[in-house]
Amino acid sequence: MTQVTDHGGGVWSLKVPIPDNPLGHTLVHVVDTDSGPVLIDTGWDDPASWDALTDGLSELTLSITDIHGVLITHHHPDHHGLSGQVREASGAWIAMHAADTEVVKRTRSAEPGVWLDYLTAKLAAAGAPEDHLAPLRQARASGRMRTLPGLNAAVPDREIVPGDLLPLA
C-alpha cells in the first residue's frame, strides 16, 4: 500500500519508490483543481513505481485517467520518469521549465550509448564512486540502454515561466 499523506486544502503526497536506489522514494504531490487533479512530478519509470502511483491515487478515490495535468519540478528520472505513461493513460498536459524541456529533447534524440557515455562522464567528474558508475558501464556494454530511466520521459506541451502563476487552486 502506498503511503498517502493529506496535507489539507486539497493537497496530498504519495510516496513512490525508486527501486534499487539509496534515495528510496520520491514524493509525488496531488493537487485538487477545478479542472481535475494535477500531479507535481510523477516518479521513477519502473513498474513498482507505476503501481505505487496508481495505488496511491486509488486511495484518494482517483484513477490515473482522472489526472488533468502534470507539473514537473525538474528533469531527473525520479521526478519525470513516469510522465509519458501518465500522459498516455490520461491525456494530461505536462508542464516544465524550458531549460528542462531541452534536456528531455536531447536525451530522447541522442543515441543511447552517447547519452550513457555523457551521463557516466558527468557523474565521474562530480566524484561518483566506481560502484555507482559500474551499472551504467555494464548497461552500455550489454546494449540495455533503452531500458534506462529517463529515456521515456514525455516532451512537455506547456512551459513553466519563472514569475508566472500556475493554474492551481
Side-chain angles (χ1 to χ4, degrees):
M1 183 169 274
T2 303
Q3 182 179 339
V4 176
T5 303
D6 185 347
H7 299 283
V11 178
W12 299 268
S13 60
L14 313 177
K15 202 172 192 178
V16 177
I18 308 172
D20 303 317
N21 188 296
L23 292 174
H25 67 275
T26 298
L27 291 179
V28 173
H29 290 83
V30 180
V31 179
D32 190 24
T33 76
D34 291 340
S35 301
V38 171
L39 298 181
I40 300 178
D41 293 332
T42 60
W44 191 263
D45 184 9
D46 183 86
S49 303
W50 176 258
D51 289 347
L53 176 62
T54 57
D55 289 350
L57 290 171
S58 291
E59 287 184 43
L60 298 174
T61 65
L62 296 171
S63 167
I64 199 72
T65 59
D66 296 323
I67 301 304
H68 171 68
V70 178
L71 297 171
I72 302 296
T73 59
H74 61 287
H75 177 63
H76 278 171
D78 56 323
H79 293 265
H80 188 33
L82 288 172
S83 60
Q85 266 186 276
V86 170
R87 176 188 278 159
E88 186 177 313
S90 67
W93 52 260
I94 298 175
M96 175 185 274
H97 187 276
D100 286 312
T101 299
E102 288 307 310
V103 174
V104 174
K105 289 178 181 176
R106 279 196 313 269
T107 300
R108 288 175 59 99
S109 66
E111 190 277 316
V114 171
W115 177 83
L116 197 55
D117 290 343
Y118 168 81
L119 179 62
T120 304
K122 283 291 201 186
L123 290 169
E130 182 56 36
D131 63 328
H132 289 200
L133 301 176
L136 298 175
R137 290 193 174 110
Q138 182 180 8
R140 173 78 158 107
S142 72
R144 190 178 60 83
M145 280 89 56
R146 273 290 159 208
T147 63
L148 292 172
L151 297 178
N152 296 316
V155 175
D157 50 8
R158 296 189 182 188
E159 183 178 338
I160 296 174
V161 177
D164 281 359
L165 293 177
L166 300 173
L168 301 174

